Amino acid sequence: MISTLLVANRGEIARRVIRAARTLGVRTVAIYSEPDADAPHVGEADRAVALRGSTSTETYLDVDQVLAAARATGADAVHPGYGFLSENASFARACAAAGLTWVGPDPAAIEAMGVKHTAKALAREAGVPTLPDALLDTDDPGDWARAADAVGFPLLVKASSGGGGSGMREVRSSDALADAVRSARTEAARSFGDGTVFLERLLDAPRHVEIQVVGDAHGRVVHLGERECSIQRRHQKVVEEAPSPVVSPALRERMGATAVALAEKLGYVGVGTVEFLIEDAEFLASDASKAALLELPEFDFFFLEMNTRLQVEHPVTEEVYGVDLVALQLAIADGEPLPFTQDDVRPRGHAIEVRLYAEDPAAGDRPSPGTLHHYRHDDTLRWEDALGTSGEVSAFYDPMIAKVVAHAPTRTAAARKLAAGLAHAEIHGPTTNRDLLVAVLRDPDFLAGATRTDFLDTHRDLRTPEPATPRLVHLAAAVAATTAARRAHDPRAPLAPPGWRTLRNTPRPVIRWAGPDGEVAVSHRLDATGLTLTVDGIDHHLGLRDLTPGTVRLTLDGVEYRCRVAQHDGAAYVDDGEGHSTWREVPRLPAPDAAAGGAGPVSEVPGTVVEVLVREGEHVVAGQKLVVLEAMKMEHPALAAADGVVETVHVAVGQYVDAHATLVTLGVAE
């Protein structure tokens, strides 16, 4: 029986496992890298062990350090969470060899499903439908072309190992095949230590639907319905829900039976997920008041892969089916039989989960690591937080801040509840995808169930949604609260009213403020009648009913807005019941831009150099890729801004660089 559990992970999943273990009376051990020394999961465990290093490879992927932590704390079991070592069969075997209970499936099952092209072969043997595919086992582009013709275009080049969208390239014509194969192989080798890739027929706009399976050591396997995870960016999920808005009871039974058949063929013990792609019918969602599904034919579904671990989106299944999947994992690892049969499994209501990331949807989902100054939300939703009320979004790991889940009797009610809870949260620090998530949840097409994998591509306007509160109101709140804060700390303030000046006709100072839509020139006057803002030469008058350094009540066009204003690191963060924005006074003498003098491209985010594509003395053209960085599970190419000659390359492959570091110096071409 498990008594002390080492959690071989970090962030929100480590916290989730620790909570479940505590409810079962199981002691927990956390491990942490140097950047995670103050992370919440460290303090929430009963014991913690520091790992030497900062990157994933140096710490959470270092099997020797993880096993040493288990020995030092007397742990008798290991829960890997997801990501990192969770699908590493060698690690599972090493745990068993060290006398530790592995909370997961048998290593043989992990290996069988860990290589995608062999997993598809096993799925076919189990009667699971699959898409056409072909393994590329030579270096001959002619062989690749013949394989592609057999599979058919469009197709995907896919890494056989790993996941998360890495090592994957979309190909629509034979002309692009060779470059895509080479690029996918390079990324797969770097990310997973295995450059093997295969081709698979691409469905242009399918649904991504997965079945949760659970098997015990006594030969029983059941499924816990489906989750739909079709809304994605970079082949990574952003919004997940259960049940799917289009899966009927009959289709659920068919898909569930095939998933169970595959798990039984593997002799699967533990919690796992069988993922499918579903060919979809068209949706009618042009009129939000009348949006409804068209009459749908019976779907065709195809095996995608099997994840032999807990999924990020597991909470929606827990909410709909009333189970604790982590507690179930621990019980199965202890040899207990499943406490329910397939006939006991019935969905209840609807659950939706979104992934709150520190990233900028308007800039291609670029990660935005940095300090989370203040983070607060209510308890109407299920928040699976990676951080506490403040913290650091590290550039070394995934930029997830939290998973946020709503459960309600209907899908529409769950979406409404989730959108409102997200909108009301206070998140001060890095740019996040919160506005995108709220916009998705309120979009008529989403509410009609038209959630295919091309959703974000066909709804690009959701990346920069219209603000819920007029920008002028938030700018006024930032100006007024900043002024109030200065007066509160100015010993001369009680001697003069707001806006008082020595000479009556002296012009008010003009200050440039940077906000969500760029910079504006602002002057202001506070008096008994309210607040007058002059923005880019245009006067605006707002009523002012209350003002402190932290709260402002403003009236614009007869509507009152109650704003909360917090100041961190020179920025004013404004929140009200529906909207939020960040404002910063622009220094009169800004610091010089490292790239402004023609030095060359700089790193947009801190990261590790994975490719240097130019040499000193080489002529380059505008837009040419010079260096590639990897940060927070993404590649970030640095491009030449203009034609020129490479004078100096400042970085090398494997080097870690800070944000805004100059990567290459370019000179003028002769």
Side-chain angles (χ1 to χ4, degrees), residues 469-542:
T469 302
R471 294 287 194 221
L472 180 64
V473 170
H474 278 194
L475 172 59
V479 171
T482 301
T483 301
R486 286 175 178 155
R487 288 179 58 80
H489 293 89
D490 185 350
R492 299 167 296 177
L495 303 179
W500 183 86
R501 304 190 64 75
T502 306
L503 300 175
R504 182 178 300 273
N505 294 324
T506 302
R508 298 190 303 275
V510 175
I511 298 173
R512 296 198 68 81
W513 284 80
D517 303 318
E519 293 185 12
V520 290
V522 180
S523 63
H524 76 280
R525 182 180 70 249
L526 274 170
D527 56 31
T529 66
L531 171 66
T532 298
L533 281 187
T534 303
V535 182
D536 288 339
I538 301 175
D539 291 336
H540 306 272
H541 187 77
L542 296 92

Coordinates of all heavy atoms in Angstrom, one line a residue, residues 469-542:
T469 N -15.0 47.1 -21.9 CA -15.2 48.5 -21.3 C -14.5 49.5 -22.2 O -13.3 49.2 -22.7 CB -14.6 48.5 -19.9 OG1 -15.2 47.5 -19.1 CG2 -14.8 49.9 -19.2
P470 N -15.0 50.6 -22.5 CA -14.3 51.6 -23.3 C -12.9 51.9 -22.8 O -12.7 52.1 -21.6 CB -15.2 52.9 -23.2 CG -16.6 52.3 -22.9 CD -16.3 51.1 -22.0
R471 N -12.0 51.9 -23.7 CA -10.6 52.2 -23.4 C -10.4 53.5 -22.6 O -9.6 53.6 -21.7 CB -9.7 52.2 -24.6 CG -9.6 50.9 -25.4 CD -8.7 49.9 -24.6 NE -8.4 48.8 -25.5 CZ -8.3 47.5 -25.1 NH1 -8.7 47.2 -23.8 NH2 -8.0 46.6 -25.9
L472 N -11.2 54.5 -23.0 CA -11.2 55.8 -22.4 C -11.4 55.7 -20.9 O -10.8 56.4 -20.1 CB -12.2 56.7 -23.0 CG -12.2 58.2 -22.4 CD1 -10.9 58.9 -22.7 CD2 -13.4 58.9 -23.0
V473 N -12.4 54.8 -20.5 CA -12.7 54.7 -19.1 C -11.5 54.1 -18.3 O -11.1 54.6 -17.2 CB -13.9 53.7 -18.9 CG1 -14.1 53.4 -17.4 CG2 -15.1 54.4 -19.4
H474 N -10.8 53.1 -18.8 CA -9.7 52.5 -18.1 C -8.5 53.5 -18.1 O -7.8 53.5 -17.1 CB -9.3 51.2 -18.8 CG -10.2 50.0 -18.3 ND1 -9.8 48.7 -18.5 CD2 -11.3 50.0 -17.6 CE1 -10.8 48.0 -18.0 NE2 -11.7 48.7 -17.5
L475 N -8.3 54.2 -19.2 CA -7.2 55.2 -19.2 C -7.5 56.3 -18.1 O -6.6 56.6 -17.4 CB -7.1 55.8 -20.6 CG -6.1 57.0 -20.7 CD1 -4.7 56.6 -20.3 CD2 -6.2 57.6 -22.1
A476 N -8.7 56.7 -18.1 CA -9.1 57.7 -17.1 C -8.9 57.2 -15.6 O -8.3 57.9 -14.8 CB -10.5 58.1 -17.2
A477 N -9.2 55.9 -15.4 CA -9.0 55.3 -14.1 C -7.5 55.2 -13.8 O -7.1 55.5 -12.6 CB -9.7 53.9 -14.1
A478 N -6.7 54.8 -14.8 CA -5.3 54.7 -14.5 C -4.7 56.1 -14.2 O -3.9 56.2 -13.3 CB -4.6 54.2 -15.8
V479 N -5.1 57.1 -15.0 CA -4.6 58.5 -14.7 C -5.0 59.0 -13.4 O -4.2 59.5 -12.6 CB -5.0 59.4 -15.8 CG1 -4.7 60.9 -15.5 CG2 -4.4 59.1 -17.2
A480 N -6.3 58.8 -13.0 CA -6.8 59.3 -11.8 C -6.2 58.6 -10.6 O -5.8 59.3 -9.6 CB -8.3 59.2 -11.8
A481 N -6.1 57.3 -10.6 CA -5.6 56.5 -9.5 C -4.1 56.8 -9.3 O -3.6 56.9 -8.2 CB -5.8 55.1 -9.7
T482 N -3.4 56.9 -10.4 CA -1.9 57.3 -10.3 C -1.8 58.6 -9.7 O -0.9 58.8 -8.8 CB -1.3 57.2 -11.7 OG1 -1.5 55.9 -12.3 CG2 0.2 57.5 -11.7
T483 N -2.6 59.6 -10.1 CA -2.5 60.9 -9.5 C -2.8 60.9 -8.0 O -2.1 61.5 -7.2 CB -3.5 61.9 -10.2 OG1 -3.2 61.9 -11.6 CG2 -3.5 63.3 -9.6
A484 N -3.9 60.1 -7.6 CA -4.2 60.0 -6.2 C -3.1 59.3 -5.4 O -2.8 59.7 -4.3 CB -5.5 59.2 -6.1
A485 N -2.5 58.3 -6.0 CA -1.4 57.7 -5.3 C -0.2 58.6 -5.1 O 0.4 58.6 -4.0 CB -0.9 56.4 -6.1
R486 N 0.1 59.5 -6.1 CA 1.2 60.4 -5.9 C 0.8 61.4 -4.8 O 1.7 61.8 -4.0 CB 1.4 61.1 -7.2 CG 2.2 60.2 -8.3 CD 2.3 60.9 -9.6 NE 3.0 60.1 -10.5 CZ 2.9 60.1 -11.8 NH1 2.1 61.0 -12.4 NH2 3.6 59.3 -12.6
R487 N -0.4 61.9 -4.8 CA -0.8 62.9 -3.8 C -0.8 62.3 -2.4 O -0.5 62.9 -1.5 CB -2.2 63.4 -4.1 CG -2.3 64.3 -5.3 CD -3.7 64.8 -5.6 NE -4.3 65.5 -4.5 CZ -4.0 66.7 -4.1 NH1 -3.2 67.5 -4.8 NH2 -4.6 67.3 -3.1
A488 N -1.1 61.0 -2.3 CA -1.1 60.3 -1.0 C 0.3 60.3 -0.4 O 0.5 60.2 0.8 CB -1.6 58.9 -1.1
H489 N 1.3 60.3 -1.3 CA 2.7 60.3 -0.8 C 3.4 61.6 -0.9 O 4.6 61.7 -0.7 CB 3.5 59.2 -1.6 CG 3.0 57.8 -1.4 ND1 2.0 57.2 -2.1 CD2 3.4 56.9 -0.5 CE1 1.8 56.0 -1.7 NE2 2.6 55.8 -0.7
D490 N 2.7 62.7 -1.2 CA 3.3 64.0 -1.4 C 2.9 64.9 -0.2 O 1.7 65.2 0.0 CB 2.7 64.7 -2.7 CG 3.4 66.0 -3.0 OD1 4.1 66.5 -2.1 OD2 3.2 66.5 -4.1
P491 N 3.8 65.3 0.7 CA 3.5 66.1 1.9 C 2.9 67.4 1.5 O 2.3 68.0 2.4 CB 4.9 66.2 2.6 CG 5.9 66.0 1.5 CD 5.3 65.1 0.5
R492 N 3.1 67.9 0.3 CA 2.5 69.2 0.0 C 1.0 69.1 -0.5 O 0.4 70.1 -0.7 CB 3.3 69.8 -1.2 CG 4.8 70.1 -0.8 CD 5.6 70.4 -2.0 NE 5.6 69.3 -2.9 CZ 6.2 69.3 -4.1 NH1 6.8 70.4 -4.6 NH2 6.2 68.2 -4.9
A493 N 0.6 67.9 -0.8 CA -0.8 67.7 -1.4 C -1.9 68.3 -0.6 O -2.8 68.9 -1.2 CB -1.0 66.2 -1.6
P494 N -1.9 68.2 0.8 CA -3.1 68.8 1.5 C -3.2 70.3 1.4 O -4.2 70.9 1.7 CB -2.8 68.4 3.0 CG -1.9 67.3 2.9 CD -1.0 67.5 1.7
L495 N -2.1 71.0 0.9 CA -2.1 72.5 0.8 C -2.7 73.0 -0.5 O -2.9 74.2 -0.7 CB -0.6 73.0 0.9 CG 0.2 72.5 2.1 CD1 1.6 73.1 2.0 CD2 -0.5 73.0 3.4
A496 N -3.0 72.1 -1.5 CA -3.6 72.6 -2.7 C -4.6 71.5 -3.2 O -4.4 70.3 -3.1 CB -2.5 72.8 -3.8
P497 N -5.6 72.0 -3.9 CA -6.6 71.1 -4.5 C -6.0 70.4 -5.7 O -5.0 70.8 -6.3 CB -7.8 72.0 -4.8 CG -7.1 73.3 -5.1 CD -6.0 73.4 -4.2
P498 N -6.6 69.2 -6.1 CA -6.2 68.5 -7.3 C -6.2 69.5 -8.5 O -7.1 70.2 -8.7 CB -7.1 67.4 -7.5 CG -7.7 67.2 -6.1 CD -7.8 68.5 -5.5
G499 N -5.1 69.4 -9.3 CA -5.0 70.2 -10.5 C -4.6 71.6 -10.3 O -4.5 72.4 -11.3
W500 N -4.4 72.1 -9.1 CA -4.0 73.5 -8.8 C -2.7 73.8 -9.4 O -1.7 72.9 -9.3 CB -4.0 73.7 -7.3 CG -3.7 75.1 -6.9 CD1 -4.6 76.1 -6.9 CD2 -2.5 75.7 -6.6 NE1 -4.0 77.3 -6.5 CE2 -2.7 77.1 -6.3 CE3 -1.2 75.2 -6.5 CZ2 -1.7 77.9 -6.0 CZ3 -0.1 76.1 -6.2 CH2 -0.4 77.4 -5.9
R501 N -2.5 74.9 -10.0 CA -1.2 75.3 -10.6 C -0.9 76.8 -10.2 O -1.8 77.6 -9.9 CB -1.3 75.3 -12.1 CG -1.7 73.9 -12.6 CD -1.5 73.8 -14.1 NE -0.1 73.9 -14.5 CZ 0.8 72.9 -14.3 NH1 0.4 71.7 -13.8 NH2 2.1 73.0 -14.7
T502 N 0.4 77.1 -10.1 CA 0.8 78.4 -9.6 C 0.4 79.5 -10.5 O -0.1 80.5 -10.1 CB 2.4 78.4 -9.5 OG1 2.8 77.3 -8.7 CG2 2.8 79.7 -8.8
L503 N 0.5 79.3 -11.8 CA 0.0 80.3 -12.8 C -1.2 79.7 -13.5 O -1.2 78.6 -14.0 CB 1.1 80.6 -13.8 CG 2.4 81.2 -13.2 CD1 3.5 81.3 -14.3 CD2 2.1 82.5 -12.5
R504 N -2.3 80.5 -13.5 CA -3.5 80.0 -14.0 C -3.5 79.5 -15.5 O -4.1 78.5 -15.8 CB -4.6 81.1 -13.9 CG -6.0 80.7 -14.3 CD -7.0 81.8 -14.1 NE -7.1 82.2 -12.7 CZ -7.9 81.6 -11.9 NH1 -8.6 80.6 -12.2 NH2 -7.9 82.0 -10.6
N505 N -2.7 80.2 -16.3 CA -2.7 79.9 -17.7 C -1.5 78.9 -18.1 O -1.3 78.7 -19.3 CB -2.6 81.1 -18.5 CG -3.8 82.0 -18.4 OD1 -4.9 81.5 -18.3 ND2 -3.6 83.3 -18.4
T506 N -0.8 78.4 -17.1 CA 0.2 77.5 -17.4 C -0.4 76.2 -18.0 O -1.3 75.6 -17.4 CB 1.0 77.1 -16.1 OG1 1.6 78.3 -15.6 CG2 2.2 76.1 -16.5
P507 N 0.1 75.7 -19.1 CA -0.5 74.5 -19.7 C -0.2 73.3 -18.9 O 0.8 73.1 -18.2 CB 0.2 74.4 -21.1 CG 1.5 75.1 -20.9 CD 1.2 76.2 -20.0
R508 N -1.2 72.4 -18.8 CA -1.1 71.2 -18.1 C 0.0 70.3 -18.8 O 0.0 70.2 -20.0 CB -2.4 70.4 -18.0 CG -3.4 71.2 -17.2 CD -4.6 70.3 -16.9 NE -5.3 69.7 -18.0 CZ -6.2 70.4 -18.8 NH1 -6.5 71.6 -18.5 NH2 -6.7 69.8 -19.8
P509 N 0.8 69.6 -18.1 CA 1.8 68.7 -18.7 C 1.2 67.6 -19.5 O 0.1 67.1 -19.1 CB 2.6 68.2 -17.5 CG 1.7 68.2 -16.4 CD 0.9 69.5 -16.6
V510 N 1.8 67.3 -20.6 CA 1.3 66.2 -21.5 C 2.2 65.0 -21.2 O 3.5 65.1 -21.3 CB 1.4 66.6 -23.0 CG1 1.0 65.4 -23.9 CG2 0.4 67.8 -23.2
I511 N 1.6 63.9 -20.9 CA 2.3 62.6 -20.6 C 1.9 61.6 -21.6 O 0.7 61.5 -21.9 CB 2.0 62.2 -19.2 CG1 2.5 63.2 -18.2 CG2 2.7 60.8 -18.9 CD1 2.2 62.9 -16.8
R512 N 2.8 60.8 -22.2 CA 2.4 59.8 -23.1 C 2.2 58.5 -22.3 O 3.0 58.1 -21.4 CB 3.5 59.5 -24.1 CG 3.8 60.7 -25.0 CD 4.5 60.4 -26.3 NE 3.8 59.5 -27.2 CZ 2.8 59.9 -28.0 NH1 2.5 61.2 -28.1 NH2 2.2 59.0 -28.8
W513 N 1.1 57.9 -22.6 CA 0.7 56.6 -21.9 C 0.7 55.5 -22.9 O 0.1 55.7 -24.0 CB -0.7 56.7 -21.2 CG -0.7 57.5 -20.0 CD1 -0.7 58.8 -19.8 CD2 -0.7 57.0 -18.6 NE1 -0.7 59.2 -18.5 CE2 -0.7 58.1 -17.7 CE3 -0.7 55.7 -18.1 CZ2 -0.7 57.9 -16.4 CZ3 -0.8 55.5 -16.7 CH2 -0.8 56.6 -15.9
A514 N 1.3 54.4 -22.6 CA 1.2 53.2 -23.5 C 0.1 52.3 -22.9 O 0.1 51.9 -21.8 CB 2.5 52.5 -23.5
G515 N -0.8 51.9 -23.8 CA -1.9 51.0 -23.5 C -2.1 49.9 -24.5 O -1.2 49.6 -25.3
P516 N -3.2 49.2 -24.4 CA -3.4 48.0 -25.3 C -3.4 48.3 -26.8 O -3.0 47.5 -27.6 CB -4.8 47.5 -24.9 CG -5.1 48.1 -23.5 CD -4.3 49.4 -23.5
D517 N -3.7 49.6 -27.2 CA -3.7 50.0 -28.6 C -2.6 50.9 -29.0 O -2.6 51.5 -30.0 CB -5.1 50.6 -28.9 CG -6.3 49.8 -28.6 OD1 -6.2 48.5 -28.8 OD2 -7.3 50.3 -28.0
G518 N -1.6 50.9 -28.2 CA -0.4 51.8 -28.5 C -0.3 53.0 -27.6 O -0.9 53.0 -26.5
E519 N 0.4 54.0 -28.0 CA 0.6 55.2 -27.2 C -0.3 56.3 -27.5 O -0.7 56.5 -28.6 CB 2.1 55.7 -27.3 CG 3.1 54.7 -26.8 CD 4.5 55.3 -26.9 OE1 4.6 56.6 -27.2 OE2 5.5 54.6 -26.7
V520 N -0.7 57.1 -26.4 CA -1.5 58.3 -26.6 C -0.9 59.4 -25.8 O -0.2 59.1 -24.7 CB -3.0 58.0 -26.2 CG1 -3.7 57.1 -27.2 CG2 -3.1 57.5 -24.8
A521 N -1.1 60.6 -26.2 CA -0.6 61.8 -25.5 C -1.8 62.3 -24.6 O -2.9 62.6 -25.1 CB -0.2 62.9 -26.4
V522 N -1.5 62.4 -23.3 CA -2.6 62.7 -22.3 C -2.3 63.9 -21.4 O -1.1 63.9 -20.9 CB -2.9 61.5 -21.5 CG1 -4.0 61.7 -20.5 CG2 -3.3 60.3 -22.3
S523 N -3.2 64.8 -21.2 CA -3.1 65.7 -20.1 C -4.5 65.6 -19.4 O -5.5 65.2 -20.0 CB -2.9 67.1 -20.6 OG -3.9 67.6 -21.5
H524 N -4.5 66.1 -18.1 CA -5.7 65.9 -17.4 C -5.9 67.0 -16.4 O -5.0 67.7 -16.0 CB -5.8 64.6 -16.7 CG -4.9 64.5 -15.5 ND1 -3.5 64.3 -15.5 CD2 -5.2 64.6 -14.1 CE1 -3.0 64.3 -14.3 NE2 -4.0 64.5 -13.4
R525 N -7.2 67.2 -15.9 CA -7.5 68.1 -14.9 C -8.5 67.4 -14.0 O -9.6 66.9 -14.4 CB -8.1 69.4 -15.4 CG -8.4 70.4 -14.3 CD -8.9 71.7 -14.9 NE -10.3 71.6 -15.4 CZ -10.6 71.7 -16.7 NH1 -9.6 71.9 -17.6 NH2 -11.8 71.5 -17.1
L526 N -8.3 67.4 -12.7 CA -9.2 66.9 -11.7 C -9.8 68.1 -10.9 O -9.0 69.0 -10.4 CB -8.5 66.0 -10.7 CG -8.3 64.5 -11.0 CD1 -7.3 63.9 -10.0 CD2 -9.6 63.8 -11.0
D527 N -11.1 68.2 -10.9 CA -11.7 69.3 -10.1 C -13.1 68.8 -9.5 O -13.4 67.6 -9.6 CB -11.9 70.5 -10.9 CG -12.7 70.3 -12.2 OD1 -13.6 69.4 -12.2 OD2 -12.4 71.0 -13.2
A528 N -13.8 69.7 -9.0 CA -15.1 69.3 -8.3 C -16.1 68.7 -9.3 O -17.0 68.0 -8.9 CB -15.7 70.5 -7.6
T529 N -16.0 69.0 -10.6 CA -16.9 68.5 -11.6 C -16.6 67.2 -12.1 O -17.4 66.6 -12.8 CB -17.1 69.5 -12.8 OG1 -15.8 69.6 -13.5 CG2 -17.4 70.9 -12.3
G530 N -15.4 66.7 -11.9 CA -15.0 65.4 -12.4 C -13.6 65.4 -13.0 O -12.7 66.2 -12.5
L531 N -13.3 64.6 -14.0 CA -12.0 64.4 -14.6 C -12.1 64.8 -16.1 O -13.0 64.3 -16.8 CB -11.6 63.0 -14.4 CG -10.3 62.6 -15.2 CD1 -9.1 63.3 -14.7 CD2 -10.1 61.0 -15.1
T532 N -11.3 65.7 -16.5 CA -11.2 66.1 -17.9 C -9.9 65.5 -18.5 O -8.8 65.8 -17.9 CB -11.3 67.6 -18.1 OG1 -12.5 68.1 -17.6 CG2 -11.1 67.9 -19.6
L533 N -10.0 64.7 -19.5 CA -8.8 64.1 -20.1 C -8.7 64.7 -21.5 O -9.7 64.8 -22.2 CB -9.0 62.6 -20.3 CG -8.7 61.7 -19.1 CD1 -8.7 60.2 -19.6 CD2 -7.3 61.9 -18.5
T534 N -7.6 65.1 -21.9 CA -7.3 65.5 -23.3 C -6.4 64.4 -23.9 O -5.2 64.3 -23.4 CB -6.6 66.9 -23.3 OG1 -7.4 67.8 -22.7 CG2 -6.4 67.3 -24.8
V535 N -6.9 63.7 -24.8 CA -6.3 62.5 -25.4 C -6.0 62.8 -26.8 O -6.9 63.0 -27.6 CB -7.1 61.2 -25.2 CG1 -6.3 60.0 -25.8 CG2 -7.5 61.0 -23.8
D536 N -4.7 62.9 -27.2 CA -4.3 63.2 -28.5 C -5.1 64.5 -29.0 O -5.6 64.5 -30.2 CB -4.6 62.0 -29.5 CG -3.6 60.9 -29.2 OD1 -2.5 61.2 -28.7 OD2 -3.8 59.8 -29.6
G537 N -5.2 65.5 -28.2 CA -5.8 66.7 -28.5 C -7.3 66.8 -28.4 O -7.9 67.9 -28.7
I538 N -8.0 65.7 -28.1 CA -9.4 65.7 -28.0 C -9.8 65.7 -26.5 O -9.3 64.8 -25.7 CB -10.0 64.5 -28.7 CG1 -9.6 64.6 -30.2 CG2 -11.5 64.5 -28.6 CD1 -10.0 63.4 -31.0
D539 N -10.7 66.6 -26.1 CA -11.2 66.7 -24.7 C -12.3 65.7 -24.4 O -13.2 65.5 -25.2 CB -11.7 68.1 -24.3 CG -10.5 69.1 -24.3 OD1 -9.4 68.7 -24.1 OD2 -10.8 70.3 -24.5
H540 N -12.2 65.1 -23.2 CA -13.3 64.1 -22.8 C -13.5 64.5 -21.3 O -12.6 64.6 -20.5 CB -12.8 62.7 -22.9 CG -12.4 62.3 -24.2 ND1 -13.2 61.8 -25.2 CD2 -11.1 62.3 -24.8 CE1 -12.5 61.5 -26.3 NE2 -11.3 61.8 -26.1
H541 N -14.8 64.5 -20.9 CA -15.1 64.8 -19.5 C -15.8 63.6 -19.0 O -16.8 63.1 -19.5 CB -16.0 66.0 -19.4 CG -16.2 66.4 -17.9 ND1 -15.3 67.0 -17.2 CD2 -17.3 66.2 -17.1 CE1 -15.8 67.2 -15.9 NE2 -17.0 66.7 -15.9
L542 N -15.4 63.1 -17.8 CA -16.0 62.0 -17.1 C -16.3 62.4 -15.7 O -15.6 63.1 -15.0 CB -15.0 60.8 -17.1 CG -14.6 60.2 -18.4 CD1 -13.3 60.8 -18.9 CD2 -14.3 58.7 -18.2

